[in-house]
Structure formats: C-alpha cells, structure tokens
Amino acid sequence: MKELSLNVLDITQNSITAGANNIDISLILDAHGILTLSITDDGCGMTEETVRNVINPFYTTRTTRKVGMGIPLLKLASEQTGGQLTISSKHISEHPSDHGTVISATFDTKHLDFTPVGDMVSTICTIIQGHPEVDYTFRHETGEISVQLDTKELRAALGEGIPLSEFEVINWIAEFLREQYQNKN
C-alpha cells in the first residue's frame, strides 16, 4: 500500500468484521523519529493459530478471495524501515469478557523506505461514514501536532437520533480534524 492511511482503513475494516464496538487508532511519533501505529479493538479476537498465520499473504478467513494482503503488507512496510509488527489477541472463546486484538507497527520515519502516513482525515471520515454504529477514538501525535477525535464525545454532543454518517456531521468531523492538523504546537 502506498500510504499508511490505507493500512489503517484495511485493518479497521478487519476489526469491524470481527464485531468490534470500540476501535482505537493511534499514530504516535517519538522524539527519535519512530512512528508507532496501533489499532486496538474489542472484536471477537483471534486464536493463537490465526495470529501465527495472519502474517502469511496466502492465509485469510475471508470467503470472497484466497489471499489476505493487508497485514503482510503492513509488516513489510514496517520491517523495511527497521521496525516491526506485533499482534496480540484474545479470542472470545477463551476470554468471553475481555477479548479483542491489538495490532501495532513501528516505523523509522527517517528511513528511505518509510511509507508516508497519507490522508488520515479522509480515512477517518470514510471509516466513520461506513460504520457509524461503532465508536472510534483517533489520536495522531507528533512533536508539532496533536490531533484527537472521540466519537463517544461527539455522540453526546449531538444527542439521540443524529447518526454520525449524516453528511453535515461527516463534513464537521473532516473540518475538525483538518483544523487540528493545521494547529502546530
């Protein structure tokens, strides 16, 4: 994938397919130029066998195609910069009240092969518009910016009966995120 935002879109869709009600997306850049991308969900989780196999591009749980490239491509992008991908998951069958998955990848942003972050505003808006029933937290922090969004807070401000997928709401979310990206510390 040409941008990390596309990986975020893909992995978040996996979380939604796994029945997640809450998804946390964070991109944190440390002072040394190491970017950590983490996606945490409360979906059904994966078995230990699935966690071992999910990095194989010829393994997928989907019935619509025989390959699953999202996680293997994220792993490759991370490792090309000297980073790594980690996956931890608790399957609902073994952890009925505390299940879900955390996928985390690190990247050296100074490395020649670093994949650009891409358009996170459009990605977050697409995710919310496509699945407005899910609650999301988004955080992107660098030394220069701090961007945050919590759909639970947004729902509380909007009140009952106004879905997050409404055109005006999505436009407001996009503008809210863009303003934060423009406000440098």
Side-chain angles (χ1 to χ4, degrees):
M1 295 191 193
K2 295 182 181 181
E3 298 177 345
L4 292 180
S5 60
L6 298 175
N7 291 104
V8 169
L9 191 63
D10 179 67
I11 292 170
T12 302
Q13 182 58 50
N14 292 347
S15 295
I16 293 164
T17 301
N21 294 310
N22 298 283
I23 301 172
D24 177 68
I25 303 163
S26 69
L27 294 108
I28 309 297
L29 181 65
D30 72 14
H32 304 289
I34 302 300
L35 177 70
T36 302
L37 164 64
S38 294
I39 300 173
T40 304
D41 70 51
D42 64 354
C44 66
M46 294 183 275
T47 64
E48 288 181 30
E49 180 183 357
T50 301
V51 170
R52 282 191 305 272
N53 289 321
V54 78
I55 59 173
N56 179 346
F58 299 105
Y59 175 86
T60 185
T61 57
R62 293 182 183 168
T63 58
T64 55
R65 60 180 182 220
K66 295 182 181 190
V67 295
M69 297 299 290
I71 293 174
L73 287 175
L74 180 62
K75 182 178 186 293
L76 176 65
S78 175
E79 290 176 350
Q80 283 180 328
T81 70
Q84 65 180 5
L85 174 82
T86 59
I87 302 171
S88 62
S89 192
K90 295 178 181 178
H91 193 267
I92 193 168
S93 65
E94 297 174 13
H95 305 273
S97 61
D98 181 30
H99 48 83
T101 301
V102 178
I103 295 178
S104 184
T106 57
F107 304 85
D108 182 348
T109 61
K110 299 179 300 290
H111 195 281
L112 177 65
D113 292 325
F114 173 66
T115 304
V117 171
D119 185 356
M120 287 306 302
V121 172
S122 294
T123 297
I124 297 302
C125 288
T126 298
I127 291 166
I128 293 170
Q129 190 170 30
H131 297 279
E133 72 284 359
V134 176
D135 277 313
Y136 305 93
T137 56
F138 171 67
R139 186 171 61 134
H140 187 175
E141 294 183 7
T142 71
E144 297 180 348
I145 60 163
S146 178
V147 179
Q148 297 185 26
L149 176 73
D150 185 334
T151 59
K152 287 180 184 175
E153 292 175 1
L154 187 53
R155 284 182 211 285
L158 288 171
E160 293 290 321
I162 301 176
L164 297 181
S165 58
E166 285 288 323
F167 178 76
E168 293 84 5
V169 175
I170 290 295
N171 279 342
W172 183 88
I173 291 170
E175 188 58 34
F176 178 69
L177 291 172
R178 281 190 199 101
E179 285 176 8
Q180 291 181 73
Y181 273 107
Q182 292 170 357
N183 290 335
K184 304 229 181 216
N185 292 336

